Amino acid sequence: MKKIFVLLLISNSIVAQVSNVIRNKDSYTQDVFPYKGVRIIQVDEVSSPGNEDNVFIFSKIEKNTIPDKMYFQRFTKVNDKWVLKSILEVNHNGIISSWGSRKAFGDYNKDKSVDALFIYGLYDADFKQQSVHLVFSQKDKLYTIESSVSDNFGTDKFSDNFKSLDEESKKQILEYWNKLDKKDK
């Protein structure tokens, strides 16, 4: 029994490479995190203990504005200050919705930096789904994949820089993407 407990402790310490902190999104102010939108839709604070602290923020413009606009930003703590590392701006003539429960964190390339992926969807004005999108954040780079309802999610479109990712990161991302139920019910 003692051997099993020690084995569990060892395996948990190997797997526990990142930690996720959950706080009220109102505690993330623009004074500390100068996010682009006027309201936060989703926020995740994820750290690689002893290595780096990150905050990922999805923010949007005012409600009911057409076209809709959403920003995805990665902030990393550098010398006790939060520094913007990357930003993605999404514009759409319908509705943009982050899929808050669809995300993953890890250190796929073993560089002790947090790798993160998030999912969002584009919808028409009647909230009928048009497409699904994955955003992958690694250090100061963003990579994307998208798929459309128009061909029943049969064709994936990758960002131009996706091919420059290391093989393990690509493998993890594609495994997640291929298992994702892309149709929003």
Side-chain angles (χ1 to χ4, degrees), residues 88 117 119-120 132-136 142-148 151 153-167 169-179 182:
L88 174 70
L117 66 83
I119 305 294
Y120 69 92
V132 64
H133 303 255
L134 178 146
V135 177
F136 179 68
L142 296 175
Y143 307 85
T144 62
I145 307 174
E146 66 181 83
S147 190
S148 175
D151 69 351
F153 307 106
T155 306
D156 294 330
K157 295 179 186 170
F158 298 85
S159 58
D160 291 340
N161 64 346
F162 194 86
K163 61 185 167 231
S164 68
L165 270 169
D166 63 279
E167 290 306 314
S169 296
K170 279 188 216 174
K171 177 184 166 214
Q172 295 292 330
I173 295 165
L174 291 173
E175 188 174 296
Y176 185 94
W177 180 251
N178 291 330
K179 289 180 181 177
K182 295 172 181 72

Side-chain angles (χ1 to χ4, degrees), residues 59-72:
S59 63
K60 289 182 80 176
I61 58 175
E62 294 83 7
K63 286 184 180 184
N64 303 317
T65 303
I66 303 291
D68 198 2
K69 187 180 286 192
M70 182 175 72
Y71 303 94
F72 169 78

Side-chain angles (χ1 to χ4, degrees), residues 3 41 55-58 64 68 71 100 102 104 109 114 117 121-122 127 142 144 167 174 177 179:
K3 287 180 184 179
I41 301 301
V55 171
F56 300 93
I57 295 177
F58 280 95
N64 303 317
D68 198 2
Y71 303 94
R102 303 292 200 286
N109 61 357
V114 172
L117 66 83
L122 300 182
F127 214 75
L142 296 175
T144 62
E167 290 306 314
L174 291 173
W177 180 251
K179 289 180 181 177

Side-chain angles (χ1 to χ4, degrees), residues 32-91:
V32 180
F33 303 97
Y35 57 89
K36 295 279 284 183
V38 297
R39 56 194 173 102
I40 290 179
I41 301 301
Q42 177 181 330
V43 63
D44 290 279
E45 187 171 329
V46 187
S47 299
S48 172
N51 295 310
E52 80 178 359
D53 298 319
N54 299 279
V55 171
F56 300 93
I57 295 177
F58 280 95
S59 63
K60 289 182 80 176
I61 58 175
E62 294 83 7
K63 286 184 180 184
N64 303 317
T65 303
I66 303 291
D68 198 2
K69 187 180 286 192
M70 182 175 72
Y71 303 94
F72 169 78
Q73 294 173 268
R74 177 182 182 145
F75 294 91
T76 301
K77 194 175 254 187
V78 178
N79 297 325
D80 292 326
K81 286 192 81 165
W82 291 101
V83 176
L84 178 65
K85 289 294 182 171
S86 57
I87 183 170
L88 174 70
E89 180 179 317
V90 180
N91 294 287

